[in-house]
Amino acid sequence: MSYVDEVFDMVVAKNPAQPEFHQAVKEVLESLRVVIEANEEKYRRDALLERLVTPERQLLFRVPWVDDKGQVQVNNGFRVQFNSAIGPYKGGLRLHPSVNIGIIKFLGFEQIFKNSLTGLPIGGGKGGSDFDPKGKSDREVMAFCQSFITELYKYIGADTDVPAGDIGTGAREIGYMYGQYKRLTGLYEGVLTGKGLSYGGSLARTEATGYGLLYLTEEMLKCNGRDIKGRTVAVSGAGNVAIYAIQKAQQLGAKPVTCSDSTGWIYDSEGIDVALLKEVKEVKRARLTEYAAARPSAQYHEKKDGEHGVWSVKCDIALPCATQNELDLEDAKVLVANGCFAVAEGANMPTTMEATEYFQANGVLFCPGKASNAGGVATSALEMSQNSERLSWTFEEVDSKLQGIMVNIFHSLDEAAKKFGCEGNYVAGANIAGFLKVAEAMTAQGIV
Ligand code: NDP
């Protein structure tokens, strides 16, 4: 049996009931096969793959807090410190009822390669909780965040592990967590990113993932002889990534016509009104029905099982920006039949493996999230730099660094794909380029 297959079987056996983690490992190892086989003896001797798929540390902890009725609630807290070969652990905290250790491990594993691709010195980690901030009062969210950090603060720090936001963790949650960290440690340091501007946050961090997604998409199109201008774009999600992806797509002359949340989706023939979307989602934290109510050109559709949602709309470019496995094979077939020629992932692993393979087999330009959504973590690393030098850069300075990073990411995965004989396969290119740097650092640092 090949080394790759052996290690994958070991992952499944040692990590039962973690399908998302298996899926992420399989996708990465499959595309690394050519590189692994060329160095098999060395990697086997060093158990490099076994070490790569095993987190350096996994923290699971109790998070008790008191709700507004005086009732004690208990959630599970997680932090997986996956790989620190190239820098301190870095990765977001997801707050969503679907969170479990398998989801956090899949995200942490992906984060290793994503962070490596940015070219910045950051290792891979991820964390979160099955706490649902939706429908909770500000006081309840604060009680949860304070309890969460009261345990986690022992294991994080500006030079060891620097968490950030993710689904359910926005500026409000980061603020409460930062306050509690500072209170417990007495340290005013860049231990979290995604902070508010008044206490060490970076300009352009809010926009970074969505903007970065479009910078990379534009470069991918350009290098394949296409222009983004005038293209119709289907976007899923209506959160941080989706909103700023829609905004940048418009700035680049494209026309995004959809967005979605967990209960329904919008088709707006005039193009999405970003100001209205922000008002509904960022200010009122309301449902998309409110967007449709305020906009005559918009149609609202309730989410229904078996239907294709935003992917049923005719588009040139699809940007999945909501959550994992939200675009499956049937959706991919509809998109291809409707003439979609490029897909770039804003969310983490939103496309199933079958859908990815279908896109690739049908000549669709496909960029995986670990490359195309890396703008968020890259800008988080720029926030760390600013905190370390106790300076704040201008919006333009951060945005232009972000643009440079995204263009570089595209070229490094494009070149890796060409070098290893799979030109145009950006999934393989991203995994190979991300892996090589981490593998070299792990090898140089010995058996740790
Ligand atoms: P937000 O919480 O701001 O938004 C998430 C959006 O997706 C919301 O519209 C939400 O709907 C929808 N959504 C969440 N879960 C589900 C689900 N199970 N089914 C259907 N819809 C769902 O998160 P972000 O925009 O920050 O993150 C989106 C994706 O991008 C995630 O995969 C995240 O890991 C990834 N990502 C985010 C980065 C960042 O900087 N924010 C960086 C890199 C990756 P509703 O409004 O109903 O909750």
Side-chain angles (χ1 to χ4, degrees), residues 109-122:
F109 185 68
E110 290 278 294
Q111 197 82 43
I112 302 169
F113 307 99
K114 180 190 304 192
N115 292 2
S116 168
L117 279 172
T118 65
L120 301 167
I122 39 179

Side-chain angles (χ1 to χ4, degrees), residues 151-174:
E151 182 58 26
L152 189 63
Y153 90 96
K154 301 164 197 165
Y155 309 101
I156 58 177
D159 293 313
T160 49
D161 183 356
V162 185
D166 189 64
I167 290 180
T169 307
R172 174 181 61 170
E173 290 75 16
I174 292 289

Side-chain angles (χ1 to χ4, degrees), residues 195-227:
K195 299 186 290 298
L197 293 177
S198 56
Y199 62 96
S202 173
L203 285 162
R205 173 62 187 92
T206 307
E207 294 83 355
T209 308
Y211 278 23
L213 173 66
L214 268 295
Y215 292 143
L216 186 138
T217 303
E218 187 187 30
E219 189 67 14
M220 174 171 79
L221 260 54
K222 204 162 85 187
C223 292
N224 285 279
R226 308 245 193 177
D227 195 348

